[in-house]
Amino acid sequence: MSRSPVVADGAISVPEKRPAVDRTREPLFELRSISHSYGRNKAIFDVNLVVWPGEVVALVGDNGAGKSTLLKIFAGYLEPTSGSLRFMGEEVRFRTPARARALGIEAVYQDLAIVDQLSLWRNFFLGKEIVHKVGPLRILRRRRMRREAETAVAKLGLTRIRSVEQPVLALSGGERQSVAITRAIYFGAKLLLLDEPTASLSVRETRNVLASIERARDHDLGVLYIDHNMSHVLPVADRVVLLEHGRIVRTIDRGEVGVEELQELIARRAQKIDC
Ligand SMILES: Nc1ncnc2c1ncn2[C@@H]1O[C@H](COP(=O)(O)OP(=O)(O)OP(=O)(O)O)[C@@H](O)[C@H]1O
Ligand SMILES: [Mg+2]
């Protein structure tokens, strides 16, 4: 059974059935009593959040609620002012994004580290090239990399990509993100972080990105995903976490509410806060 989100008449519909997340397993990532301040501006207040393997957690909330700040803490870009992080059962302190990446935490941004002039397969293996060592020489295994990239891209279903020889400057923003997500899965990432990946994408590109998120989940990755559009969030999220002024105010499980209800709930809360 395919669990990919389906686009019908320009709308993205919610797949009906999907296995529940196994929450008896060891959590993949945990934030415990995390607070964060930018100088005197406190942005995050005592947040506890768990992501399990094979789970998509959507972070939603108004502008300035603290979503990106939380994601940057997950990604190792920010060290929290207080609280602790646990990754696969162990307490961790990242200090740098490279440390988080080394553990298998991949953040995918719209302005990805991609070299426009290089071919898709070269970008796919950038920094992780497959080489053949002959004495002191490192010879690129071009044919093998090309083949592997081709297989990965074919699985993506990116029909506009005719050849992995094509330079990535020919790809759209959505296609680049789908490629980056596939790359993360290919290289064995465990946690995928996405900050508004569907912003300014067409319906078709959005569908591709959401399908890539589903694929990551099917490969047992945990995904933390920020999006303002509830009709994008609900088809893929196992859990929706609502942030308000740096605090988690509501957690909603898959199937608990529909798109309109969720939109209304957020709007109602925002009104209450503004009064
Ligand atoms: N680098 C920074 N320096 C100072 N304050 C910051 C910085 N980044 C974010 N903030 C503040 O922290 C709070 C949370 O910001 P954050 O970017 O996490 O919100 P967000 O939920 O991602 O918003 P949006 O939906 O607009 O992207 C805001 O009050 C913001 O002004
Ligand atoms: Mg943000």
Side-chain angles (χ1 to χ4, degrees), residues 45-66:
F45 297 81
D46 197 26
V47 161
N48 292 293
L49 180 58
V50 180
V51 179
W52 270 273
E55 181 180 40
V56 179
V57 176
L59 263 184
V60 304
D62 240 340
N63 297 113

Side-chain angles (χ1 to χ4, degrees), residues 261-273:
E261 224 178 314
L262 185 58
Q263 268 158 350
E264 238 170 66
L265 178 86
I266 293 171
R268 230 182 11 245
R269 291 205 60 108
Q271 258 176 8
K272 233 165 59 191
I273 290 167

